[in-house]
Amino acid sequence: MKIQLVLMASGFGRRFGSHKLEVLVHGRPLYTYGMKSLCQAAQAFLPSSGIDCQVTVVTAHDAIASACQASGH
């Protein structure tokens, strides 16, 4: 069985006033918290169930796409 986890990192932060996904929170861009949580969840599936679980990031932001590609997502 395969499961696909999707991180929707595509907002533009219009109400926030800037691109909130790249705002630093405790020294890290905000989007990295969601990405880390999904990656940890994907890794947790395999040992206990044998389920192939992958993470896909959907974004319109070049910086986020580049960072995710560099980390293998």
Side-chain angles (χ1 to χ4, degrees):
M1 175 188 288
K2 290 185 177 185
I3 295 176
Q4 194 74 30
L5 302 177
V6 179
L7 175 63
M8 301 296 294
S10 55
F12 288 101
R14 286 183 186 98
R15 291 176 292 164
F16 186 72
S18 66
H19 185 217
K20 66 182 169 191
L21 296 172
E22 292 181 0
V23 169
L24 297 182
V25 177
H26 300 289
R28 290 178 31 207
L30 182 61
Y31 76 89
T32 63
Y33 289 91
M35 188 169 78
K36 181 179 178 183
S37 294
L38 283 181
C39 290
Q40 288 174 338
Q43 291 173 355
F45 271 103
L46 187 58
S48 61
S49 64
I51 294 173
D52 180 21
C53 189
Q54 298 178 356
V55 175
T56 298
V57 179
V58 178
T59 187
H61 304 286
D62 293 335
I64 294 174
S66 294
C68 292
Q69 287 174 344
S71 69
H73 300 288

